[in-house]
Amino acid sequence: EAGVAQSPRYKIIEKRQSVAFWCNPISGHATLYWYQQILGQGPKLLIQFQNNGVVDDSQLPKDRFSAERLKGVDSTLKIQPAKLEDSAVYLCASSTAGNEAFFGQGTRLTVV
Amino acid sequence: RKEVEQDPGPFNVPEGATVAFNCTYSNSASQSFFWYRQDCRKEPKLLMSVYSSGNEDGRFTAQLNRASQYISLLIRDSKLSDSATYLCVVRYSTLTFGKGTMLLVSP
């Protein structure tokens, strides 16, 4: 069974530029999560989708971050404009309802 | 109070040692509990789910105390390959991760 796919694996941008990350969840997983993990910390939830609806985006900095999950399958997360403090690993995960989540390899973002 | 709190670590232990990690959670309505393992520069991976009756998987034992809102993970006979960060995860409406506890097993 194919796992969660994410791209790109690495991205370096200058502050104030924009960037987008892509995620394709495991087939059949209705729930999709985007987490931000800063070095030395646990993953912090940015947004959770159930099919193409948002379940929780309370910690998403909506002035600069946006996410969508068209057609309830793959998803994109965008940052515009990026700040230095956005440097982190962005992890996408998916699950079936109420079960454990499976993670992609993540996108390592460096903002300079 | 943070939603999920873990021992700060790191834990440095010799091979063969027994080590225990503790975790507390704030939402009494939480429904599911997990331990994930994260290797350096890798994604988190499920180690085991945690059930009210307690559960064991080889050298790993997980326990849940709902009354105290406390979860534990016990690793017996530590191996070098157990060196990683262990993340406590709690589900209510979403999955909330603790900060993680790093384990370093030395020869």
Side-chain angles (χ1 to χ4, degrees):
Chain A
E1 180 183 87
V4 177
Q6 287 190 248
S7 67
R9 290 291 310 279
Y10 305 93
K11 191 75 177 178
I12 301 174
I13 61 171
E14 295 182 350
K15 59 184 179 183
R16 292 186 289 275
Q17 284 188 324
S18 63
V19 64
F21 312 129
W22 175 82
C23 173
N24 188 266
I26 293 172
S27 177
H29 282 194
T31 307
L32 185 147
Y33 314 79
W34 282 103
Y35 286 88
Q36 179 194 59
Q37 187 171 27
I38 292 172
L39 189 65
Q41 298 182 20
K44 178 184 116 177
L45 181 72
L46 294 176
I47 189 166
Q48 177 180 339
F49 292 97
Q50 182 71 19
N51 296 308
N52 59 350
V54 175
V55 173
D56 187 334
D57 64 356
S58 58
Q59 299 190 88
L60 186 74
K62 297 180 184 66
D63 58 333
R64 298 185 301 105
F65 286 64
S66 64
E68 61 182 10
R69 191 183 184 197
L70 299 176
K71 301 180 183 178
V73 182
D74 54 353
S75 175
T76 56
L77 176 70
K78 298 179 181 178
I79 307 175
Q80 181 178 12
K83 293 185 175 181
L84 296 177
E85 59 260 37
D86 298 332
S87 295
V89 176
Y90 291 84
L91 293 161
C92 179
S94 69
S95 72
T96 54
N99 292 320
E100 71 273 16
F102 295 87
F103 283 83
Q105 293 182 299
T107 296
R108 188 172 299 274
L109 174 67
T110 302
V111 183
V112 298
Chain B
R1 180 181 174 187
K2 293 182 181 177
E3 291 187 59
V4 180
E5 291 202 62
Q6 296 187 237
D7 294 328
F11 284 32
N12 288 277
V13 302
E15 271 186 295
T18 295
V19 61
F21 301 131
N22 302 313
C23 171
T24 57
Y25 59 95
S26 60
N27 188 341
S28 60
S30 297
Q31 300 160 336
S32 306
F33 309 88
F34 309 94
W35 283 102
Y36 275 70
R37 170 191 169 131
Q38 187 171 27
D39 293 296
C40 187
R41 300 180 74 85
K42 299 287 188 180
E43 72 274 22
K45 292 184 178 179
L46 179 70
L47 178 66
M48 57 197 304
S49 301
V50 187
Y51 304 115
S52 297
S53 56
N55 48 303
E56 188 174 307
D57 183 2
R59 298 181 292 109
F60 299 83
T61 300
Q63 295 199 317
L64 167 65
N65 185 322
R66 285 188 182 270
S68 302
Q69 295 177 210
Y70 169 90
I71 307 161
S72 66
L73 176 68
L74 184 76
I75 305 176
R76 292 181 299 279
D77 189 23
S78 298
K79 310 292 185 189
L80 295 176
S81 56
D82 294 334
S83 296
T85 295
Y86 291 84
L87 296 157
C88 177
V89 185
V90 174
R91 176 189 288 280
Y92 174 55
S93 60
T94 189
L95 283 174
T96 302
F97 283 73
K99 187 176 179 179
T101 303
M102 183 182 290
L103 172 65
L104 300 170
V105 182
S106 54

